[in-house]
Amino acid sequence: MHSNSIKPRIRHLLTVESLSPDEIRMIFRITRELKARRAQGIACPFLAGRVLALLFEKPSLRTRVSFEAGIAQLGGTSLYLGAETGFGKRESSVDFARVLGQYVDLVVIRAFSHETVVTFAQHAGCSVINGLTDHAHPCQALADLYTIEEHFGTLEGQTIAWVGDGNNVARSLAMGCAKLGVRLIMATPSGYRFSEQYVSQLRQAGMTAGPEVVDDPVEAVRQASVVYTDVWTSMGQEAETEERRRVFAPYQVNSRLMSFAPKQSVFMHCMPAHRGEEVTDEVIDGPQSIVVIQAANRMHVQKGIMVWLLNLADALLSGS
Ligand code: CP
Ligand code: NVA
């Protein structure tokens, strides 16, 4: 079990587990307000004078740029820390966290190991956001659920069919579904499903029957409002690429599979996509795909997360 111990009065976002349903709804409310104001061209300098550091052990387009653009829109500044800062190499990670937290208000970390992010949060003395680990991708899941609510007008009655690997993105999305009462059906091959321990965490969080797991992707998508997939080989698993291609081949989201999903269903993918593997061009570029809106909402939701973490929701929402 991953510990999430935090210093008093400092909020972190390390997993969706750590958020209550009301806190998720509050982040969505802040996001809606910020997104609407941006659409109207209204300046929102709520993070003026605040500094965000980004520390990435793996590559990123969406997470990095959406955080940097997001804090700039809110009047703050970002610092992308390159390899020369020597995280994990030049000094102890605890010393690194303690010192970095003296300079900045927020740190986004993308790390191979989830424990790296947990330890960092325990020592940084500022708010820490998980920008993806082997275990979780909470910013992605929150943006995904926000996107689904925005698209359909409500999360109530929606069913997500997850087709593919039971990975970091799937775990966080499932936890969000548990907290917000969204039905989740997973077509995931055995050996790539959630651990018993994680299923029991989902049950405790509100997914009383656990995720419904099926062998056949067709069965999963038949009742779906959302068909969601992610890469078969996540960053850090490259040595398993060939084996995963073999195992996941029957789980490709292609036009045939989408033909079994309801017409009004949408296709989602956290991206980057490996076209021709987990999804075909005709699906990701097709009329049901909302992947670009989904990626755009990463920025809006992360603006909401930053405002919430720094306890500025009241300042934004009073009078709205
Ligand atoms: N979806 C996502 O996190 O994308 P990046 O790896 O580009 O940040
Ligand atoms: N599961 C993927 C998500 C990338 C955003 C990975 O970890 O590489």
Side-chain angles (χ1 to χ4, degrees):
M1 171 116 64
H2 295 290
S3 77
N4 255 356
S5 75
I6 57 171
K7 288 188 172 183
R9 293 186 302 280
I10 298 172
R11 281 179 172 164
H12 304 293
L13 177 55
L14 307 190
T15 58
V16 178
E17 286 91 308
S18 67
L19 296 171
S20 70
D22 282 346
E23 287 172 332
I24 299 174
R25 287 188 201 102
M26 174 54 76
I27 290 169
F28 288 1
R29 190 173 157 210
I30 299 166
T31 301
R32 276 194 299 277
E33 184 64 27
L34 289 170
K35 191 173 176 181
R37 289 197 199 183
R38 178 156 176 81
Q40 293 163 49
I42 301 169
C44 290
F46 288 95
L47 299 189
R50 306 295 183 123
V51 182
L52 167 73
L54 299 105
L55 186 56
F56 281 46
E57 293 182 345
K58 306 182 191 184
S60 170
L61 168 67
R62 279 143 290 269
T63 307
R64 174 186 175 174
V65 181
S66 57
F67 266 112
E68 294 210 55
I71 193 156
Q73 290 170 19
L74 293 169
T77 304
S78 61
L79 300 168
Y80 183 78
L81 305 182
E84 74 283 358
T85 51
F87 180 63
K89 296 198 174 81
R90 198 162 161 257
E91 58 193 305
S92 89
S93 301
V94 168
D95 286 346
F96 192 108
R98 280 196 197 120
V99 172
L100 184 62
Q102 299 297 307
Y103 306 140
V104 305
D105 303 282
L106 294 152
V107 180
V108 179
I109 312 186
R110 170 167 287 194
F112 284 96
S113 162
H114 191 75
E115 291 308 326
T116 301
V117 175
V118 172
T119 305
F120 202 97
Q122 283 166 343
H123 297 281
C126 71
S127 289
V128 172
I129 301 169
N130 177 359
L132 180 146
T133 63
D134 55 353
H135 174 66
H137 198 1
C139 298
Q140 182 70 54
L142 294 177
D144 295 342
L145 289 162
Y146 179 87
T147 302
I148 295 166
E149 184 174 67
E150 184 183 65
H151 181 87
F152 291 106
T154 178
L155 285 173
E156 211 178 308
Q158 307 306 340
T159 298
I160 302 176
W162 177 274
V163 181
D165 191 16
N167 63 14
N168 45 6
V169 173
R171 264 184 232 107
S172 293
L173 186 64
M175 189 55 72
C177 289
K179 301 260 174 177
L180 298 180
V182 176
R183 185 177 174 206
L184 178 67
I185 307 174
M186 298 186 74
T188 300
S190 92
Y192 296 86
R193 297 173 183 166
F194 295 155
S195 65
E196 280 304 313
Q197 188 197 6
Y198 199 68
V199 169
S200 95
Q201 280 181 253
L202 289 171
R203 292 204 170 119
Q204 281 164 23
M207 194 176 273
T208 42
E212 295 162 62
V213 181
V214 296
D215 287 319
D216 183 1
V218 170
E219 201 185 323
V221 306
R222 274 190 202 282
Q223 301 169 64
S225 20
V226 175
V227 177
Y228 198 129
T229 192
D230 184 14
V231 291
W232 294 339
T233 303
S234 286
M235 292 181 277
Q237 299 173 331
E238 289 76 8
E240 300 169 28
T241 302
E242 284 315 313
E243 171 69 0
R244 285 171 170 271
R245 278 197 184 125
R246 190 184 59 72
V247 171
F248 285 102
Y251 294 80
Q252 183 185 68
V253 180
N254 50 34
S255 297
R256 181 185 169 274
L257 183 62
M258 288 302 288
S259 74
F260 293 99
K263 290 274 171 291
Q264 69 279 12
S265 64
V266 293
F267 171 74
M268 296 179 74
H269 191 309
C270 57
M271 300 176 96
H274 294 169
R275 288 165 176 256
E277 290 195 7
E278 77 277 1
V279 63
T280 56
D281 290 343
E282 57 202 0
V283 171
I284 197 167
D285 298 331
Q288 284 165 283
S289 175
I290 59 166
V291 297
V292 176
I293 296 166
Q294 178 186 2
N297 276 336
R298 291 290 306 279
M299 181 180 76
H300 298 295
V301 171
Q302 288 159 194
K303 287 166 72 177
I305 289 167
M306 290 190 283
V307 166
W308 178 77
L309 285 173
L310 296 177
N311 292 302
L312 294 165
D314 287 347
L316 171 77
L317 297 173
S318 61
S320 74

